[in-house]
Amino acid sequence: MRAQDSATAQTAIAVPVAPGPGRPATGRGSAARAGTLQATLGVTAFSLTFPATAWGLEGFGPWSLVAVRTVLAAVIAGGCLLALRVPLPGRRHWAGLAVVAAGVVLGFPLLTTLALQTSTTAHAAVVVGLLPLTTALFSALRVGTRPSRTFWVAASAGAAVVIAFTVQQSGGALTSADAYLFAALLVCAAGYTEGGRLARVMPGWQVIGWALVLCLPVTVPVAVVALSYEPVQLTAHSVTGLLWVAAGSQFVGLVVWYRGMAAIGIPKASQLQLAQPLLTLVWSVLLLGEHLTPAAPLTAAAVLVCIAVTQRARG
């Protein structure tokens, strides 16, 4: 049986009805709403990644945490691919899957985990604040998308607001983790762009599934070596953090994220991530006990306005 993905294949089963008063067209509109919802669920899952990583680092070393989370996510993904008897991707797709694997599966988790050893989650959120704009830039270069000027102005404004807020949260001081964070930004934007492109020709969950499986020859030996060198302390926090970044962030979150990008386009989906740093800060307060400044609600309102503009902008 071959799995079908509603983000890439739609089958009309209802008799078409002409739109009119009280009876709007539902085809593209409903697909766009579903895509926006899926991308939003992905952003929500991603917003828990930094707090969960901080929990994981309480009991695992950085290399162990990243390698084990990737192996666990690959086991879940590989099990789904085998259960549904999904055939191997075409040869022309493997290069793109390798970019997804290098950027999203390996690069971003490793670089941000290394950064979180010395950085707070609030400071690390600057990466996610810049990610929507960077992803839109990569998309314009890679797949030829041409958003409108209004889109770019709103996206730039939203990124500037998020950067100002996160820098203020960290006291305005740059740390040694910044090199990791900005490198993570670049590799993740490339992986998101390539994954969004592939999600147009294959189901989104298969994109991340095959990328995870592709990494197994690297992650399994790294996990074995890292676990033998880095101390491990299994606690409720460390195990919960590991399980979330493996199943929630690394697989389920990316599945709905790529489906959303395929439905509404890479630039618009990427702008939904402007809300991710603020969500991360909320989780940081609830889960890690960090404190927010009074600027948080004002920043949230400004970012939501930018998101609304980018979602309505044509391009």
Side-chain angles (χ1 to χ4, degrees):
M1 178 185 297
R2 182 178 179 85
Q4 297 296 323
D5 191 313
S6 61
T8 56
Q10 298 176 353
T11 303
I13 58 176
V15 177
V17 179
R23 192 173 62 240
T26 59
R28 291 186 177 180
S30 60
R33 286 191 295 272
T36 300
L37 175 61
Q38 290 167 339
T40 301
L41 290 175
V43 170
T44 303
F46 299 154
S47 70
L48 281 161
T49 300
F50 285 171
T53 300
W55 274 8
L57 286 172
E58 293 179 10
F60 294 89
W63 292 90
S64 299
L65 181 61
V66 173
V68 173
R69 71 178 269 186
T70 307
V71 170
L72 291 177
V75 169
I76 297 172
C80 293
L81 292 169
L82 286 175
L84 294 173
R85 300 179 181 177
V86 177
L88 289 171
R91 183 179 300 178
R92 67 186 185 280
H93 299 318
W94 282 108
L97 289 171
V99 174
V100 176
V104 177
V105 176
L106 296 177
F108 187 78
L110 177 60
L111 291 167
T112 54
T113 299
L114 292 172
L116 284 171
Q117 291 185 105
T118 57
S119 172
T120 65
T121 57
H123 186 78
V126 71
V127 174
V128 182
L130 287 171
L131 190 54
L133 182 58
T134 309
T135 303
L137 288 170
F138 270 72
S139 174
L141 294 173
R142 179 67 178 90
V143 299
T145 56
R146 294 293 181 268
S148 67
R149 182 177 299 178
T150 301
F151 178 95
W152 286 116
V153 170
S156 300
V161 168
V162 171
I163 291 170
F165 178 65
T166 51
V167 169
Q168 186 271 336
Q169 284 290 106
S170 66
L174 298 179
T175 69
S176 60
D178 288 326
Y180 290 132
L181 295 174
F182 284 105
L185 166 70
L186 295 177
V187 298
C188 189
Y192 276 173
T193 300
E194 199 65 22
R197 185 187 68 81
L198 288 172
R200 296 177 179 178
V201 296
M202 70 172 69
W205 75 271
Q206 292 182 23
V207 173
I208 188 59
W210 286 118
L212 285 164
V213 171
L214 187 63
C215 291
L216 278 174
V218 174
T219 54
V220 169
V222 170
V224 172
V225 173
L227 288 171
S228 64
Y229 280 93
E230 294 180 334
V232 174
Q233 183 178 1
L234 299 180
T235 64
H237 275 186
S238 64
V239 173
T240 301
L242 171 63
L243 292 178
W244 177 258
V245 293
S249 302
Q250 195 86 65
F251 184 64
V252 176
L254 285 170
V255 167
V256 293
W257 174 243
Y258 281 137
R259 286 172 63 96
M261 280 201 296
I264 65 176
I266 297 172
K268 285 193 174 183
S270 70
Q271 297 314 301
L272 292 173
Q273 281 197 301
L274 285 169
Q276 185 175 324
L278 303 176
L279 289 173
T280 298
L281 292 172
V282 171
W283 298 127
S284 298
V285 170
L286 297 177
L287 301 177
L288 303 177
E290 295 184 4
H291 299 284
L292 300 182
T293 66
L298 294 177
T299 305
V303 168
L304 289 176
V305 169
C306 293
I307 292 175
V309 173
T310 59
Q311 295 307 296
R312 291 180 178 274
R314 293 181 179 181

